[in-house]
Amino acid sequence: MGRIHRDGTAGLTVAGFGSESLRSRLGVEGRLDGSTLGIEGVTVTGRAAWSHELASPSSSLRVSLLGSDTFEVEGQSLPRNLAEAGLSLDAVLRNGVRLFAAHEG
């Protein structure tokens, strides 16, 4: 938990904020070596997984305005179940230089 104070017209004070998560993940990963396609030094990796949030997916803030009593603001809930996918490319260039690019979502 933390505490933040902002001066200004509203005099916003955030008394506490936090988010706790415990997530399980089950998935697969496949890897293709570029040498099988005649491209040396390149590896492509794909991933797919299913995630499940085991803890509470909700989030909230305790705030006050201009010294008022604190009140709770509910944040957006995280999804309980989530499909994830990713793709990465790893390439050895020259003189010890390696290129890595990835996208996960």
Side-chain angles (χ1 to χ4, degrees):
M1 291 289 195
R3 185 174 181 85
I4 298 174
H5 179 76
R6 298 281 186 252
D7 291 327
T9 306
L12 176 66
T13 300
V14 178
F17 56 93
S19 178
E20 295 180 4
S21 176
L22 178 61
R23 180 170 288 183
S24 65
R25 181 185 293 173
L26 177 64
V28 296
E29 178 177 293
R31 200 168 282 196
L32 175 64
D33 190 342
S35 62
T36 60
L37 302 173
I39 306 170
E40 293 298 323
V42 174
T43 304
V44 177
T45 305
R47 294 174 195 83
W50 185 259
S51 301
H52 178 73
E53 179 63 44
L54 299 168
S56 173
S58 64
S59 62
S60 63
L61 296 173
R62 303 266 316 146
V63 299
S64 67
L65 297 172
L66 295 172
S68 68
D69 291 337
T70 59
F71 57 95
E72 190 167 318
V73 177
E74 290 293 323
Q76 182 175 352
S77 292
L78 301 171
R80 174 87 53 194
N81 294 297
L82 183 66
E84 299 179 36
L87 185 66
S88 66
L89 172 75
D90 190 11
V92 177
L93 301 177
R94 58 181 130 150
N95 297 331
V97 176
R98 175 176 237 141
L99 173 69
F100 177 80
H103 178 75
E104 293 193 13

